[in-house]
Amino acid sequence: MKRRTVIATALLGAVAGPGLGSTVARAADPGPSVTRRGTTTLDPQALYFVSYDGLVNNNSFQKNGLLTYRGHQYAAWYTADRNAVVARRALGASTWSTVRVGHTLRYDDSHNVISMGVSRVDGRLHLNMDSHSDGFTYVKSVAGLMDDPTRLSWTASRFGAPRSTLDGLALTSQFTYPQFVATPEGRLQLSYRVAVSGNGRNALAEYDGSRWTALGEWTSSTGTYTSEHGSSTARNMYLHGIDYDRSGRLHAFFTWREQNGAVMCSGGGITNHDTGYVHSDDRGRTWRNDAGTVVGTTGGTGSDRVAVTDPGLVVDPLNPDHSLMNQESQFTDSAGRPHAIISYVPGRFGQCTTDYVADRIRNGRAFHVRKTASGAWRKTEIPVPLNSSQRTKLVLDRYDNAYAILPFGRIAGASAASGHTDWRLLFDGAGLNAFGEVVVDETRVAQDGVLSFMYQERSTGTTPSALRVVDFQLPV
């Protein structure tokens, strides 16, 4: 029987102060800064409706709704008439070229986001869309489209017909949360959830330039989790992300969500608990905890999968009484050390949230969790109230300064020289009128030192509103 334990270097609820676990930085390295370069409009009247407190065009967990590749930036969204479109521009250009890919959004469900990925082995753009606990729609471009954007025209004829499979690979009838990630060799992997919230498993598929292959499930929904209030025997792992670092290690932070609400102090809360971490050094085939012990095998069965009862998974323990957010954000620094943003209602505001949304709006705070050079885990509260129930995104610049893109497009930053403890607000979101969550171009920062994110302006009901991309220059 596996035993649920906490890593010896876990945070134990403490918040790091100045100097704790600081990252060594050269004295000449600049600290964090943002300089607004400009804003472009993707769609003056994009589809707008609120569900699950979010927008279908701006859910921060979509990977990637905005990406950069070989000097061009790409964006995907749904138009006011529900058509799925994808656009591109040369970096720095003020206008976008847009094409429809032949799919119409089925339901008013903000989880049915569009995610994009690039397979470098054949230069194709891949899109997965309209999937929340049922089927999905998949579209891919012709080979080479991403490799030669100045020569190949941007037209609908460059994309294949929408399919309900990955070129014949069906995967599962209950599919959610597509996330594309490129392997160091240029293959493309697709992370997704099988089954439903509170009782689901994470899985991987892989594209090698000729065909898709199902690698299988790697997390378990079984095992018993017990809090001071009760027990649950089913759950799912919610990923904060899945990303390769420069050395080829695959990182994944996560939270667990229990099926049984008996684990909470109040029925108005949410059953998310604990921040965990695993990594893989063999392209997602096997998974290890922070100590390097194998805790799961992709395609395995039963105890071979990562489970809530596995040892050494938890890097920040937290019970289900604090409205912990799922699917927040992660990034790796230049040394391959993992960083994450998590958010919840701290205990100083009480030990039992009774209304998930209202309590997060009133008292929610974001925290930066990172692994230090010594191998310890540290956590720092970002001193900017969320004023929102929604998620925050994280990126690091070339100097390993950290940036948290908070709801409404606000940007906070912390320097590597301080050990990421000197968080301060760099941009207050003025003039954006952003609804809440934003979609960050995680790929662009390394390519030209620009923080770029997509946001949608606030509206009411189902009245369409402008969808825009704003760019900020980071230190170079």
Side-chain angles (χ1 to χ4, degrees):
M1 175 66 69
K2 294 179 181 177
R3 183 169 55 91
R4 180 178 179 270
T5 61
V6 176
I7 293 174
T9 57
L11 305 168
L12 303 178
V15 176
L20 282 177
S22 63
T23 300
V24 176
R26 296 183 299 273
D29 285 355
S33 66
V34 294
T35 302
R36 188 167 174 178
R37 290 179 49 169
T39 303
T40 58
T41 299
L42 290 167
D43 190 335
Q45 296 287 297
L47 182 66
Y48 188 100
F49 60 83
V50 180
S51 77
Y52 297 97
D53 304 313
L55 303 179
V56 72
N57 286 330
N58 272 99
N59 257 316
S60 66
F61 55 73
Q62 63 190 101
K63 184 181 181 75
N64 297 278
L66 186 69
L67 65 83
T68 296
Y69 188 77
R70 297 203 173 186
H72 282 68
Q73 190 172 42
Y74 300 80
W77 71 95
Y78 296 103
T79 61
D81 60 1
R82 310 178 72 85
N83 272 276
V85 298
V86 61
R88 78 175 181 189
R89 65 165 175 169
L91 291 181
S94 59
T95 59
W96 296 75
S97 298
T98 304
V99 298
R100 297 189 176 197
V101 296
H103 177 71
T104 302
L105 179 69
R106 296 174 296 163
Y107 313 120
D108 281 356
D109 182 338
S110 66
H111 287 71
N112 291 338
V113 299
I114 304 174
S115 295
M116 298 185 292
V118 180
S119 51
R120 296 197 309 273
V121 289
D122 60 359
R124 294 182 192 267
L125 180 65
H126 302 250
L127 293 85
N128 192 296
M129 64 197 94
D130 209 350
S131 57
H132 186 198
S133 301
D134 55 5
F136 60 83
T137 296
Y138 168 70
V139 172
K140 71 178 181 183
S141 76
V142 297
L145 180 64
M146 305 297 284
D147 294 332
D148 198 356
T150 59
R151 186 179 65 86
L152 296 180
S153 61
W154 188 248
T155 62
S157 63
R158 301 290 185 186
F159 292 86
R163 301 184 179 189
S164 59
T165 65
L166 298 178
D167 296 336
L169 181 64
L171 296 180
T172 174
S173 61
Q174 293 182 309
F175 177 101
T176 312
Y177 301 126
Q179 296 190 68
F180 288 110
V181 58
T183 71
E185 300 81 14
R187 298 193 298 272
L188 187 65
Q189 294 180 326
L190 177 62
S191 167
Y192 59 98
R193 186 186 72 193
V194 177
V196 298
S197 176
N199 191 13
R201 289 92 57 199
N202 291 335
L204 287 172
E206 186 173 88
Y207 176 76
D208 64 3
S210 61
R211 66 188 182 96
W212 283 95
T213 301
L215 302 183
E217 299 174 12
W218 61 276
T219 70
S220 173
S221 59
T222 61
T224 299
Y225 167 79
T226 301
S227 74
E228 54 266 52
H229 310 295
S231 296
S232 175
T233 58
R235 70 205 45 81
N236 71 277
M237 175 193 286
Y238 274 111
L239 294 175
H240 288 317
I242 185 166
D243 301 279
Y244 283 97
D245 66 23
R246 297 176 185 178
S247 67
R249 172 168 286 185
L250 185 59
H251 302 265
F253 283 93
F254 61 88
T255 61
W256 296 106
R257 176 176 294 180
E258 299 300 319
Q259 185 181 65
N260 190 346
V263 299
M264 296 186 296
C265 62
S266 168
I270 195 167
T271 59
N272 296 340
H273 63 89
D274 296 324
T275 297
Y277 168 78
V278 290
H279 66 266
S280 173
D281 291 323
D282 57 3
R283 309 302 187 255
R285 270 62 174 180
T286 57
W287 296 89
R288 299 175 183 269
N289 64 17
D290 186 53
T293 302
V294 174
V295 289
T297 301
T298 299
T301 58
S303 61
D304 290 334
R305 299 180 186 173
V306 181
V308 72
T309 50
D310 280 330
L313 299 183
V314 178
V315 299
D316 187 35
L318 188 71
N319 69 19
D321 297 339
H322 294 275
S323 294
L324 176 68
M325 175 54 82
N326 50 283
Q327 297 167 287
E328 201 104 27
S329 186
Q330 67 174 43
F331 216 82
T332 55
D333 63 26
S334 60
R337 290 185 291 265
H339 297 238
I341 294 290
I342 64 174
S343 65
Y344 57 89
V345 177
R348 65 179 182 272
F349 297 110
Q351 297 299 323
C352 179
T353 57
T354 58
D355 186 316
Y356 169 72
V357 172
D359 287 341
R360 282 181 57 89
I361 292 173
R362 183 167 50 246
N363 295 317
R365 297 293 188 274
F367 297 82
H368 177 212
V369 177
R370 73 275 187 199
K371 191 172 187 180
T372 68
S374 68
W377 290 93
R378 293 289 183 263
K379 178 173 72 175
T380 302
E381 181 175 338
I382 299 173
V384 181
L386 288 179
N387 298 324
S388 169
S389 64
Q390 297 182 288
R391 299 172 179 86
T392 295
K393 296 293 290 182
L394 174 69
V395 299
L396 274 68
D397 68 20
R398 62 181 298 183
Y399 302 105
D400 287 337
N401 299 312
Y403 301 82
I405 303 86
L406 297 144
F408 317 121
R410 297 167 295 165
I411 305 172
S415 68
S418 73
H420 301 104
T421 59
D422 58 352
W423 284 96
R424 61 188 177 91
L425 193 65
L426 303 175
F427 175 68
D428 65 2
L432 298 185
N433 192 31
F435 167 82
E437 291 182 9
V438 302
V439 174
V440 172
D441 187 340
E442 299 174 0
T443 62
R444 187 175 180 184
V445 174
Q447 296 182 50
D448 68 351
V450 172
L451 168 61
S452 189
F453 64 80
M454 180 169 67
Y455 68 94
Q456 190 158 359
E457 294 184 357
R458 294 182 226 193
S459 186
T460 56
T462 58
T463 302
S465 66
L467 185 68
R468 308 189 195 277
V469 174
V470 60
D471 299 331
F472 295 87
Q473 183 66 58
L474 303 180
V476 296

